[in-house]
């Protein structure tokens, strides 16, 4: 079993990721949480937790970690401190401990932040974090979903390096895509966009 550090484990999508990893025969989730009070819900489910704040030192979080999923977000409040610099710090930590893969939850539009009036700062932060990951020499997958909703997942998506259209996707299906991308041969050093579609997630994700 590979140890998977989930940054942002307490978020809506993060909890879904931890749940999927727990059911997996390949992966063991390590939930990274920011507050002591967030640990109990995971520990009650026998999930190991690490207490760490992306605005502070996170260099210790990647010891004995095989792969990382970055699903943390500031909710628009501290986009540079969390979504950008927090991600960079975790990338540095992973690189130092020779993590085998870093799966980044990004956002559609991160390749062109100027195209958005309302989300420009957030998308710019995501773009900077994505670029930093690409240049880290660590194996990576960068997943850029459309607008997230809380509908039940269908297990099917539309995927392309550039979809050239907007759309929605359930958090369930985003979580599934991120977990699929953990596999060694899945979408290696690949950036792609996803929305709800008709192709099974496992078939849609490119493999090496």
């Amino acid at each position: 079993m590979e140890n998977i550090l989930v940054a942002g484990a307490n978020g809506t999508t993060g909890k879904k990721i931890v749940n999927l990893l727990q059911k997996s025969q390949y992966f063991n989730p390590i939930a990274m949480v920011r507050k002591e009070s967030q640990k109990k819900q995971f520990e009650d489910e026998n999930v190991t937790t690490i207490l760490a704040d992306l605005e502070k030192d996170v260099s210790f979080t990647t010891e004995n970690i095989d792969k990382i999923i970055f699903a943390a977000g500031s909710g628009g409040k501290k986009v540079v401190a969390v979504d950008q610099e927090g991600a960079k710090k975790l990338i540095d930590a992973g690189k130092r401990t020779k993590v085998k893969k870093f799966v980044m939850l990004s956002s559609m539009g991160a390749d062109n932040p100027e195209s958005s009036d309302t989300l420009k700062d957030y998308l710019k932060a995501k773009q900077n974090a994505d670029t930093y990951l690409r240049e880290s020499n660590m194996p990576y997958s960068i997943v850029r979903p459309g607008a997230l909703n809380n509908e039940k997942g269908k297990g099917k998506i539309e995927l392309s390096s550039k979809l050239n259209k907007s759309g929605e996707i359930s958090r369930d299906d985003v979580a599934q895509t991120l977990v699929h991308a953990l596999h060694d041969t899945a979408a290696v050093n690949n950036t792609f966009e996803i929305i709800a579609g008709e192709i099974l997630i496992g078939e849609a994700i490119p493999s090496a």
Side-chain angles (χ1 to χ4, degrees):
M1 300 275 277
E2 292 184 315
N3 286 331
I4 311 298
L5 181 68
V6 182
N10 194 56
T12 314
T13 307
K15 286 176 182 169
K16 292 179 186 295
I17 292 164
V18 171
N19 197 22
L20 285 171
L21 291 172
Q22 230 188 335
K23 294 173 184 168
S24 161
Q25 58 186 343
Y26 307 106
F27 307 122
N28 174 49
I30 313 289
M32 182 172 147
V33 294
R34 197 163 50 92
K35 298 177 184 166
E36 187 73 37
S37 59
Q38 295 168 345
K39 287 167 71 172
K40 186 178 185 302
Q41 60 184 323
F42 295 108
E43 289 170 351
D44 285 349
E45 298 290 327
N46 295 316
V47 173
T48 305
T49 60
I50 288 182
L51 194 63
D53 188 333
L54 284 163
E55 292 185 72
K56 297 172 183 164
D57 176 32
V58 294
S59 61
F60 61 92
T61 61
T62 58
E63 300 294 337
N64 302 313
I65 294 296
D66 295 293
K67 293 172 182 173
I68 296 170
I69 292 181
F70 188 91
S74 63
K77 298 182 193 76
K78 298 178 176 179
V79 292
V80 173
V82 175
D83 301 81
Q84 177 179 302
E85 295 307 311
K88 286 184 179 181
K89 282 192 279 189
L90 201 57
I91 290 163
D92 287 343
K95 191 174 175 181
R96 184 179 57 79
T97 56
K98 297 184 169 54
V99 161
K100 290 189 278 183
K101 196 171 196 184
F102 194 112
V103 177
M104 176 76 85
L105 174 55
S106 183
S107 175
M108 201 181 278
D111 59 339
N112 184 19
E114 281 68 33
S115 64
S116 172
D117 296 331
T118 52
L119 295 171
K120 190 183 293 182
D121 291 343
Y122 168 72
L123 292 173
K124 186 71 184 165
K126 295 305 284 183
Q127 181 186 51
N128 290 340
D130 291 355
T131 300
Y132 196 78
L133 177 57
R134 281 200 203 95
E135 293 172 354
S136 71
N137 292 322
M138 233 184 330
Y140 70 84
S141 296
I142 296 171
V143 182
R144 292 176 166 171
L148 302 183
N149 64 49
N150 292 314
E151 289 172 21
K152 189 166 169 47
K154 299 188 179 103
K156 294 178 178 179
I157 56 174
E158 185 175 345
L159 179 153
S160 177
S161 55
K162 183 74 180 161
L163 284 168
N164 293 312
K165 61 179 175 181
S166 57
E168 292 194 4
I169 186 165
S170 71
R171 293 176 191 275
D172 284 352
D173 289 337
V174 170
Q176 263 205 52
T177 303
L178 292 165
V179 170
H180 264 282
L182 284 169
H183 290 283
D184 291 333
T185 57
V188 185
N189 301 340
N190 212 300
T191 304
F192 57 86
E193 298 179 345
I194 53 170
I195 54 175
E198 296 303 323
I199 301 172
L200 288 168
I201 289 169
E203 292 173 13
I205 294 175
S207 60

